[in-house]
Structure formats: structure tokens, C-alpha cells
Amino acid sequence: MKFTVTGTQGMLCDAYFQGLCLKALWDCPYPLNGEYQRTFKDCLGQLWSVSAYSSETRVNSLQVEIRIADKGKVSNERIIGAMWLKPLMN
């Protein structure tokens, strides 16, 4: 599924982090039934966790959060940014 960014917050205002999230969400189904989560490494070896779920504030949108993951464990205290996505319908 392809998405367009409709809003950002925190470090997801940066194009690099947006790209990381969009790449991690390439196989994210839409509409979601619950939450989608994926952990991955970037080109520098940093471990990240991306979570996506239906937005409570924006219609037909996903809210995405990126966190720093530490050795496979995801810390809720380390959310570094959020963004909102709308699916691109063909």
C-alpha cells in the first residue's frame, strides 16, 4: 500500500525519518484491523520500531509512531515522532 503524508510531529518532520517509516510500512494493510508494528534496522545499524493504527482524530487516516528500539525491546518512553498518512487509492 502506498500512502501520502498529511501531517508530522517531532522528528518525523524530517524527510529521512519519514522515508524510514514509509519504507517500513510497505506491506501494511489498509484498512487496519488493530495495530501494525514492525522493527527494523536502518543503514547505520540503529534499531527502530514503527507502529501504525487508525487515527482517532483524522478520518480515513493512519497514525504512525516511530520509536528507538533497544536490542529488540521497544520502549514507549522513546517515541521520537508521529505522522499521519492517507492511503493513495488507485
Side-chain angles (χ1 to χ4, degrees), residues 57-87:
T57 58
R58 298 184 185 202
V59 177
N60 298 326
S61 293
L62 294 180
Q63 183 167 337
V64 178
E65 296 174 344
I66 188 169
R67 296 173 176 88
I68 296 171
D70 183 25
K71 297 178 185 173
K73 295 179 183 177
V74 177
S75 171
N76 287 334
E77 298 173 354
R78 293 185 175 178
I79 296 172
I80 63 165
M83 71 179 176
W84 291 265
L85 305 175
K86 276 198 177 254

Short mmCIF file of all heavy atoms in Angstrom, two decimals, residues 57-87:
data_model
loop_
_atom_site.label_atom_id
_atom_site.label_comp_id
_atom_site.label_asym_id
_atom_site.label_seq_id
_atom_site.Cartn_x
_atom_site.Cartn_y
_atom_site.Cartn_z
N THR A 57 -8.27 11.07 15.34
CA THR A 57 -8.56 12.48 15.09
C THR A 57 -8.70 12.83 13.61
O THR A 57 -9.20 13.89 13.29
CB THR A 57 -7.46 13.37 15.70
OG1 THR A 57 -6.20 12.99 15.13
CG2 THR A 57 -7.41 13.21 17.20
N ARG A 58 -8.26 11.94 12.72
CA ARG A 58 -8.33 12.24 11.28
C ARG A 58 -9.05 11.09 10.56
O ARG A 58 -8.72 9.92 10.74
CB ARG A 58 -6.93 12.42 10.70
CG ARG A 58 -6.22 13.60 11.34
CD ARG A 58 -4.90 13.84 10.71
NE ARG A 58 -4.20 14.90 11.44
CZ ARG A 58 -3.24 15.63 10.92
NH1 ARG A 58 -2.86 15.42 9.68
NH2 ARG A 58 -2.66 16.56 11.63
N VAL A 59 -10.01 11.45 9.75
CA VAL A 59 -10.83 10.47 9.05
C VAL A 59 -10.01 9.76 7.97
O VAL A 59 -9.23 10.39 7.25
CB VAL A 59 -12.05 11.17 8.41
CG1 VAL A 59 -12.89 10.19 7.62
CG2 VAL A 59 -12.88 11.85 9.49
N ASN A 60 -10.22 8.45 7.84
CA ASN A 60 -9.55 7.63 6.82
C ASN A 60 -8.04 7.81 6.82
O ASN A 60 -7.42 7.89 5.77
CB ASN A 60 -10.11 7.92 5.43
CG ASN A 60 -11.57 7.58 5.33
OD1 ASN A 60 -12.05 6.65 5.96
ND2 ASN A 60 -12.29 8.36 4.57
N SER A 61 -7.44 7.86 8.00
CA SER A 61 -6.00 8.07 8.12
C SER A 61 -5.40 7.09 9.11
O SER A 61 -6.08 6.58 9.99
CB SER A 61 -5.69 9.49 8.59
OG SER A 61 -6.05 10.44 7.64
N LEU A 62 -4.11 6.87 8.95
CA LEU A 62 -3.33 6.11 9.92
C LEU A 62 -2.47 7.06 10.72
O LEU A 62 -1.96 8.05 10.19
CB LEU A 62 -2.40 5.13 9.21
CG LEU A 62 -3.01 4.01 8.42
CD1 LEU A 62 -1.91 3.16 7.79
CD2 LEU A 62 -3.90 3.15 9.27
N GLN A 63 -2.31 6.77 12.00
CA GLN A 63 -1.33 7.48 12.81
C GLN A 63 -0.14 6.55 12.97
O GLN A 63 -0.30 5.37 13.26
CB GLN A 63 -1.89 7.84 14.18
CG GLN A 63 -0.89 8.65 14.98
CD GLN A 63 -1.51 9.30 16.20
OE1 GLN A 63 -2.71 9.51 16.26
NE2 GLN A 63 -0.69 9.63 17.17
N VAL A 64 1.03 7.08 12.74
CA VAL A 64 2.26 6.30 12.77
C VAL A 64 3.20 6.91 13.81
O VAL A 64 3.35 8.13 13.87
CB VAL A 64 2.95 6.31 11.38
CG1 VAL A 64 4.25 5.54 11.42
CG2 VAL A 64 2.02 5.74 10.33
N GLU A 65 3.80 6.05 14.63
CA GLU A 65 4.78 6.49 15.62
C GLU A 65 6.07 5.73 15.39
O GLU A 65 6.04 4.55 15.05
CB GLU A 65 4.29 6.23 17.03
CG GLU A 65 3.04 7.01 17.38
CD GLU A 65 2.47 6.65 18.73
OE1 GLU A 65 2.82 5.60 19.29
OE2 GLU A 65 1.64 7.44 19.22
N ILE A 66 7.18 6.41 15.56
CA ILE A 66 8.48 5.76 15.46
C ILE A 66 9.17 5.84 16.81
O ILE A 66 9.09 6.87 17.50
CB ILE A 66 9.35 6.37 14.33
CG1 ILE A 66 10.62 5.55 14.13
CG2 ILE A 66 9.64 7.83 14.60
CD1 ILE A 66 11.40 5.91 12.89
N ARG A 67 9.77 4.73 17.20
CA ARG A 67 10.46 4.64 18.49
C ARG A 67 11.85 4.07 18.26
O ARG A 67 12.06 3.30 17.32
CB ARG A 67 9.72 3.69 19.43
CG ARG A 67 8.36 4.12 19.84
CD ARG A 67 7.69 3.00 20.65
NE ARG A 67 6.42 3.38 21.14
CZ ARG A 67 5.27 3.24 20.47
NH1 ARG A 67 5.27 2.73 19.26
NH2 ARG A 67 4.13 3.62 21.00
N ILE A 68 12.76 4.42 19.15
CA ILE A 68 14.06 3.77 19.15
C ILE A 68 13.89 2.44 19.86
O ILE A 68 13.33 2.38 20.95
CB ILE A 68 15.10 4.64 19.87
CG1 ILE A 68 15.30 5.95 19.11
CG2 ILE A 68 16.42 3.88 20.02
CD1 ILE A 68 16.14 6.96 19.84
N ALA A 69 14.33 1.38 19.23
CA ALA A 69 14.26 0.05 19.84
C ALA A 69 15.64 -0.30 20.39
O ALA A 69 16.66 0.04 19.80
CB ALA A 69 13.81 -0.98 18.81
N ASP A 70 15.66 -0.97 21.51
CA ASP A 70 16.91 -1.32 22.17
C ASP A 70 17.02 -2.83 22.27
O ASP A 70 16.33 -3.44 23.09
CB ASP A 70 16.97 -0.67 23.55
CG ASP A 70 18.27 -0.92 24.28
OD1 ASP A 70 19.29 -1.17 23.61
OD2 ASP A 70 18.27 -0.86 25.52
N LYS A 71 17.85 -3.43 21.43
CA LYS A 71 18.07 -4.87 21.43
C LYS A 71 16.77 -5.65 21.33
O LYS A 71 16.53 -6.60 22.06
CB LYS A 71 18.86 -5.29 22.66
CG LYS A 71 20.24 -4.69 22.72
CD LYS A 71 20.96 -5.09 23.97
CE LYS A 71 22.28 -4.35 24.06
NZ LYS A 71 22.96 -4.58 25.31
N GLY A 72 15.88 -5.21 20.44
CA GLY A 72 14.64 -5.91 20.21
C GLY A 72 13.51 -5.53 21.14
O GLY A 72 12.38 -5.93 20.93
N LYS A 73 13.80 -4.76 22.19
CA LYS A 73 12.76 -4.32 23.11
C LYS A 73 12.35 -2.90 22.73
O LYS A 73 13.20 -2.04 22.52
CB LYS A 73 13.25 -4.34 24.55
CG LYS A 73 13.58 -5.73 25.04
CD LYS A 73 14.08 -5.70 26.46
CE LYS A 73 14.45 -7.10 26.90
NZ LYS A 73 15.01 -7.11 28.25
N VAL A 74 11.07 -2.65 22.66
CA VAL A 74 10.57 -1.34 22.29
C VAL A 74 10.18 -0.59 23.55
O VAL A 74 9.44 -1.09 24.38
CB VAL A 74 9.35 -1.46 21.35
CG1 VAL A 74 8.79 -0.10 21.02
CG2 VAL A 74 9.74 -2.21 20.09
N SER A 75 10.69 0.62 23.69
CA SER A 75 10.38 1.44 24.85
C SER A 75 9.35 2.49 24.49
O SER A 75 9.56 3.28 23.58
CB SER A 75 11.65 2.13 25.36
OG SER A 75 11.32 3.06 26.35
N ASN A 76 8.22 2.50 25.20
CA ASN A 76 7.19 3.52 24.97
C ASN A 76 7.69 4.92 25.34
O ASN A 76 7.13 5.90 24.90
CB ASN A 76 5.93 3.20 25.76
CG ASN A 76 5.19 2.04 25.17
OD1 ASN A 76 5.29 1.77 23.98
ND2 ASN A 76 4.45 1.33 25.99
N GLU A 77 8.71 5.00 26.16
CA GLU A 77 9.22 6.29 26.59
C GLU A 77 10.08 6.97 25.53
O GLU A 77 10.44 8.12 25.68
CB GLU A 77 10.02 6.13 27.88
CG GLU A 77 9.17 5.59 29.01
CD GLU A 77 10.00 5.27 30.25
OE1 GLU A 77 11.23 5.35 30.18
OE2 GLU A 77 9.39 4.93 31.26
N ARG A 78 10.41 6.28 24.49
CA ARG A 78 11.32 6.80 23.49
C ARG A 78 10.64 7.13 22.17
O ARG A 78 11.23 7.01 21.11
CB ARG A 78 12.45 5.82 23.23
CG ARG A 78 13.37 5.66 24.41
CD ARG A 78 14.50 4.78 24.03
NE ARG A 78 15.48 4.69 25.10
CZ ARG A 78 16.55 3.94 25.03
NH1 ARG A 78 16.77 3.21 23.97
NH2 ARG A 78 17.41 3.91 26.01
N ILE A 79 9.40 7.53 22.18
CA ILE A 79 8.72 7.94 20.95
C ILE A 79 9.39 9.23 20.50
O ILE A 79 9.48 10.19 21.25
CB ILE A 79 7.21 8.16 21.17
CG1 ILE A 79 6.54 6.86 21.55
CG2 ILE A 79 6.58 8.75 19.90
CD1 ILE A 79 5.10 7.01 21.96
N ILE A 80 9.87 9.23 19.26
CA ILE A 80 10.57 10.42 18.78
C ILE A 80 9.77 11.20 17.75
O ILE A 80 10.17 12.29 17.36
CB ILE A 80 11.95 10.07 18.21
CG1 ILE A 80 11.83 9.18 16.99
CG2 ILE A 80 12.84 9.47 19.28
CD1 ILE A 80 13.10 9.09 16.19
N GLY A 81 8.65 10.67 17.31
CA GLY A 81 7.86 11.41 16.35
C GLY A 81 6.60 10.66 15.95
O GLY A 81 6.46 9.47 16.20
N ALA A 82 5.70 11.40 15.32
CA ALA A 82 4.46 10.83 14.82
C ALA A 82 4.13 11.47 13.48
O ALA A 82 4.57 12.57 13.19
CB ALA A 82 3.32 11.05 15.82
N MET A 83 3.37 10.75 12.67
CA MET A 83 2.87 11.32 11.43
C MET A 83 1.55 10.67 11.07
O MET A 83 1.19 9.64 11.61
CB MET A 83 3.88 11.19 10.29
CG MET A 83 4.12 9.83 9.75
SD MET A 83 5.33 9.94 8.40
CE MET A 83 5.52 8.22 8.02
N TRP A 84 0.83 11.34 10.20
CA TRP A 84 -0.47 10.86 9.77
C TRP A 84 -0.41 10.61 8.27
O TRP A 84 0.15 11.38 7.51
CB TRP A 84 -1.55 11.89 10.11
CG TRP A 84 -1.73 11.97 11.58
CD1 TRP A 84 -2.66 11.30 12.33
CD2 TRP A 84 -0.97 12.73 12.52
NE1 TRP A 84 -2.51 11.59 13.66
CE2 TRP A 84 -1.47 12.47 13.81
CE3 TRP A 84 0.12 13.60 12.40
CZ2 TRP A 84 -0.94 13.03 14.95
CZ3 TRP A 84 0.65 14.16 13.54
CH2 TRP A 84 0.11 13.88 14.79
N LEU A 85 -1.00 9.48 7.87
CA LEU A 85 -0.96 9.05 6.47
C LEU A 85 -2.35 8.81 5.94
O LEU A 85 -3.22 8.30 6.66
CB LEU A 85 -0.17 7.75 6.34
CG LEU A 85 1.26 7.72 6.89
CD1 LEU A 85 1.81 6.30 6.77
CD2 LEU A 85 2.13 8.70 6.14
N LYS A 86 -2.55 9.13 4.66
CA LYS A 86 -3.77 8.74 3.95
C LYS A 86 -3.36 7.77 2.86
O LYS A 86 -2.34 7.99 2.19
CB LYS A 86 -4.45 9.96 3.32
CG LYS A 86 -5.33 10.69 4.28
CD LYS A 86 -6.29 11.58 3.51
CE LYS A 86 -7.21 12.24 4.48
NZ LYS A 86 -8.52 11.73 4.49
N PRO A 87 -4.13 6.72 2.65
CA PRO A 87 -3.78 5.79 1.58
C PRO A 87 -4.01 6.42 0.21
O PRO A 87 -4.93 7.20 0.02
CB PRO A 87 -4.73 4.61 1.81
CG PRO A 87 -5.89 5.20 2.53
CD PRO A 87 -5.34 6.33 3.35
#
